[in-house]
Amino acid sequence: MSEQHPGPADFNAHVIAEFRANGGRVGGMFEGASLVLLTTVGARTGRPRTNPVVWASDGDRTLIFASNAGGPNHPAWYHNLLARPQVAVELGVDDAGRAVVETYVAEATPLVGAERDRLFAAQCDRDPAFAAYQAGTSRVIPVVELRRIGPAESDEDGA
């Protein structure tokens, strides 16, 4: 009998629950990683989809990387934000010594050219896995800026 492994949706659901329960902190393979929860609206379904995504700051900008672990295709969330660039962001922050999750609405903008290249190179310096992801795929891994545009809008799944 073969060992069963959780599918991507189950895996993400576990990471999302842990992130929300622990003020943006998770363990396991993502322990110590800078993660946000990104909620996009499905390009075809129109339904909200939440995914844990690696982020970095560039000054006061929040950046995310559509690496898909170096897979041959962009992650589904990237296609969703191209179709509908208004997204919800959940970010772990320190609130008077207590880790909490801050949620806000952002406008997602893919970066291009020299700016994208500079910011992706900086991410590779921070985390060499990103250089390996790029080396393992023929596609250019997108870098996306998340520009805060307002407070969170309430919805059914709490994102």
Side-chain angles (χ1 to χ4, degrees), residues 43-55:
R44 288 184 314 232
T45 67
R47 295 184 9 215
R49 303 282 185 216
T50 301
N51 290 281
V53 180
V54 170
W55 77 282

Side-chain angles (χ1 to χ4, degrees), residues 58-133:
D58 178 54
D60 61 352
R61 300 192 309 174
T62 299
L63 307 172
I64 57 174
F65 306 89
S67 70
N68 204 17
N73 300 309
H74 295 315
W77 61 258
Y78 181 71
H79 296 288
N80 291 344
L81 69 76
L82 289 178
R84 297 180 184 180
Q86 187 168 305
V87 300
V89 178
E90 295 174 67
L91 178 65
V93 297
D94 184 291
D95 182 22
R98 193 173 75 102
V100 297
V101 175
E102 175 187 19
T103 304
Y104 60 90
V105 176
E107 185 81 16
T109 305
L111 303 175
V112 296
E115 181 180 31
R116 178 260 169 222
D117 296 346
R118 175 183 65 81
L119 295 167
F120 190 78
Q123 180 61 14
C124 292
D125 289 344
R126 280 187 294 273
D127 185 345
F130 281 81
Y133 296 157

